[in-house]
Amino acid sequence: KKYDDKANHVFDDRFYTKDSSRVKFDYKLDYDSHGNRTKNTTSKNGKPIQMTERNIEYYTDPADKKKKPGSKQ
């Protein structure tokens, strides 16, 4: 098993004794500018088998905005 710098599982090499097969899984992770995962692609022996995407909307509370210099608030 291998992990990225954010401690996410990104690679797995498995050996199945029942049929003596070896399977390699890669997990490619994409992040947005806030550091949240937005896409996860799983590949088995180099071929993509699953992809999950999510859209995250960020909202700013108007009360948190600081008063701009020169504004009449």
Side-chain angles (χ1 to χ4, degrees):
K1 291 184 178 185
K2 290 184 183 178
Y3 298 88
D4 65 9
D5 58 341
K6 297 180 181 188
N8 293 302
H9 187 200
V10 294
F11 179 79
D12 198 9
D13 188 1
R14 299 180 191 176
F15 182 77
Y16 296 97
T17 56
K18 187 174 184 178
D19 60 0
S20 298
S21 64
R22 171 173 247 143
V23 179
K24 295 181 181 185
F25 291 95
D26 290 293
Y27 308 98
K28 183 178 181 298
L29 308 171
D30 295 321
Y31 300 90
D32 65 10
S33 61
H34 295 272
N36 292 308
R37 185 170 50 207
T38 56
K39 185 176 177 183
N40 180 11
T41 304
T42 302
S43 297
K44 180 179 175 183
N45 294 327
K47 296 181 181 180
I49 59 170
Q50 181 181 21
M51 184 182 73
T52 304
E53 284 186 282
R54 66 179 182 172
N55 295 315
I56 302 171
E57 291 185 45
Y58 296 96
Y59 296 92
T60 303
D61 184 352
D64 290 340
K65 291 184 179 179
K66 293 183 178 179
K67 186 177 177 183
K68 292 182 182 179
S71 66
K72 297 180 180 180
Q73 292 181 355

